[in-house]
Amino acid sequence: MKRLAVLALMFAGLMLLGASAQPGRRVALVIGNGTYENAGTLANPVNDAADIAAKLREVGFEVVEGHDLGKRDLERKIGDFSDALQGADTGLFFYAGHGLQVDGRNFIVPVDAQLDVPVKLRLEAVPIDEVLDIMEQQARTSLVFLDACRNNPFARSLSAKATTRSATALPGLAQFDTTRGSFIAFSTAPGAVAMDGTGRNSPFAEALLRHIDEPGQSINDMMIAVRRDVLAATREFQRPYEQGSLLERFEFVPAGGPAAAQKPVASAPQQNTQVAALERSVGDDAAIERMLTDGYLSPQPGKIAEAARQIYADKVTLLSAPMDIEAIVKAKSDWFAQFKSWSLTLDPGSLKVTPRGENRADAVFSMGYDYEPIGGGARIAGKSRVSLGLVLSDGEWRIVSETLAAP
């Protein structure tokens, strides 16, 4: 019964897979800081973070996301990330915005930072290595992507006011001292400056979005493709760089699995058009809640396969494992076949729907479950936090990605 209880928490009645057939949980922290109170505005970091977060969700990551964060909010997001990493196999950190290095140590610059004198650095900025330490302590594999080498007024100001007793802020970022199982990618070479870009995304983020979901591609091969694209886009000005000590091959999308759905990133719609599209696709969230209560949470005996076909897309990423609809139908049918009865409920007030572009949204909610096994025995009951990636197809919301975790 203990084994069934663990499976119930992980899958909440959705699927039953062998442990060797699926990757472990993967959790990402994605931050984009662009609107600085004391340094003007960067055009693309928030777009970069939003698009990277959406892509990571599509390939099976649980994502903690934040935009334009001051220091306190940034530290809270890092704390949320640390909590979410418990029990995860892979941690990933993506940051877009201003960053700087002082005495070989790299810092994230929050949007409310006042770095007018060097002594304020450790009070106003957040060391990146602290995020890396959190990942290395809790996850077997740690991945970092830093698009934080933009032309930085904070570094120039601090360097101008430095004394012989204060550290000098340098452009770009420095290399890290890494432990085993880590991979760190910089948008440009150490100490160099990266471009913010003239379109919706920076050259580095745009290249990542283009290549991250290619099936069977290792992270090392992905970075070769990213570097080639960035060099071409910047006329050899910007050269992405990586350092790492991975102990095993890492693929964002496993070999043989379907590629994640492609998302256009080449151009950005006007703000009014984008808002109108989100309003059309998401509305008042009633359709999504109805899909959850009438379909996802209400599978009926003898109609499990029919229900799965109605609410899942043809290609889905479940707990980091790419699956087609037939595999989902079989896994779900096999799971429910173990139980005499069950109850799945949406905790009142827990549903949060976030638009992710035209005809796409994320839904996060707390779900209660209660299973009665065939042949008697103790009931399996508890709660799970469910995160769904959704797409609107033929007027109906369907699931394209799904992760579950302890509440």
Side-chain angles (χ1 to χ4, degrees):
M1 296 309 299
K2 181 178 180 181
R3 176 175 175 270
L4 288 177
V6 172
L7 289 172
L9 175 61
M10 290 178 62
F11 299 98
L14 297 173
M15 56 186 291
L16 182 63
L17 296 174
S20 61
Q22 63 173 13
R25 281 182 60 236
R26 304 193 289 183
V27 181
L29 172 64
V30 179
I31 303 296
N33 282 349
T35 307
Y36 284 87
E37 297 176 7
N38 300 294
T41 298
L42 295 171
N44 292 325
V46 170
N47 293 337
D48 296 340
D51 293 347
I52 290 291
K55 183 66 71 175
L56 289 173
R57 290 184 179 97
E58 289 177 3
V59 299
F61 277 77
E62 302 169 38
V63 178
V64 177
E65 183 178 358
H67 302 158
D68 286 336
L69 301 181
K71 187 169 188 288
R72 293 187 64 183
D73 288 337
L74 178 58
E75 290 171 338
R76 290 191 187 99
K77 285 294 183 182
I78 294 172
D80 292 342
F81 177 52
S82 179
D83 292 340
L85 270 178
Q86 295 183 27
D89 180 75
T90 300
L92 183 149
F93 176 45
F94 174 90
Y95 175 71
H98 279 313
L100 51 84
Q101 59 163 309
V102 176
D103 277 351
R105 194 177 190 191
N106 296 313
F107 294 84
I108 298 170
V109 182
V111 296
D112 59 356
Q114 296 182 358
L115 299 179
D116 49 348
V117 292
V119 72
K120 288 186 177 180
L121 177 67
R122 285 171 175 78
L123 298 175
E124 299 282 340
V126 176
I128 298 176
D129 55 31
E130 292 184 359
V131 182
L132 184 58
D133 288 344
I134 289 172
M135 288 193 292
E136 291 177 344
Q137 291 172 20
Q138 299 193 69
R140 184 173 62 180
T141 301
S142 302
L143 312 175
V144 179
F145 294 85
L146 298 173
D147 200 356
C149 308
R150 293 158 164 88
N151 194 14
N152 195 331
F154 291 110
R156 295 194 300 271
S157 174
L158 291 178
S159 295
K161 297 179 181 179
T163 68
T164 56
R165 297 185 60 185
S166 63
T168 300
L170 300 175
L173 297 178
Q175 296 188 57
F176 290 85
D177 292 329
T178 61
T179 60
R180 63 180 184 176
S182 64
F183 182 94
I184 302 172
F186 301 84
S187 60
T188 192
V193 175
M195 293 182 175
D196 194 37
T198 58
R200 174 175 174 80
N201 299 110
S202 75
F204 182 65
E206 184 175 359
L208 279 177
L209 290 164
R210 185 179 298 118
H211 295 291
I212 200 170
D213 58 2
E214 294 181 15
Q217 177 183 241
S218 74
I219 192 170
N220 301 88
D221 289 339
M222 181 196 75
M223 282 303 301
I224 291 173
V226 167
R227 183 160 42 250
R228 184 184 302 118
D229 285 3
V230 172
L231 283 167
T234 63
R235 299 183 180 182
E236 305 287 324
F237 175 81
Q238 181 177 331
R239 183 183 299 272
Y241 171 87
E242 66 267 13
Q243 63 175 110
S245 55
L246 292 178
L247 299 179
E248 58 189 24
R249 180 183 177 90
F250 181 87
E251 300 171 352
F252 282 95
V253 177
Q262 294 296 317
K263 180 177 182 179
V265 298
S267 62
Q270 295 297 320
Q271 183 66 23
N272 289 343
T273 302
Q274 185 178 21
V275 170
L278 297 181
E279 291 173 347
R280 288 196 305 271
S281 62
V282 178
D284 62 0
D285 305 341
I288 291 176
E289 185 169 358
R290 185 166 58 252
M291 182 274 288
L292 294 176
T293 56
D294 295 348
Y296 185 88
L297 299 170
S298 303
Q300 300 299 315
K303 298 183 178 180
I304 302 299
E306 178 183 350
R309 295 182 193 281
Q310 289 178 349
I311 64 174
Y312 286 91
D314 292 337
K315 304 294 184 181
V316 182
T317 301
L318 290 179
L319 298 177
S320 305
M323 302 178 71
D324 60 28
I325 186 62
E326 297 306 321
I328 293 169
V329 167
K330 183 180 186 304
K332 192 166 186 179
S333 298
D334 289 347
W335 170 262
F336 282 102
Q338 302 174 84
F339 303 102
K340 178 181 178 181
S341 64
W342 53 81
S343 173
L344 305 176
T345 59
L346 173 66
D347 284 1
S350 68
L351 176 61
K352 179 181 179 182
V353 175
T354 304
R356 294 298 177 191
E358 187 173 5
N359 297 332
R360 288 185 175 272
D362 292 336
V364 179
F365 58 94
S366 177
M367 178 182 70
Y369 57 86
D370 188 350
Y371 298 96
E372 181 182 0
I374 293 175
R379 302 180 75 93
I380 303 169
K383 291 185 181 295
S384 182
R385 182 177 181 272
V386 183
S387 299
L388 302 177
L390 304 172
V391 62
L392 188 63
S393 176
D394 297 327
E396 300 292 335
W397 286 101
R398 296 182 182 273
I399 299 168
V400 294
S401 67
E402 179 175 11
T403 56
L404 297 100

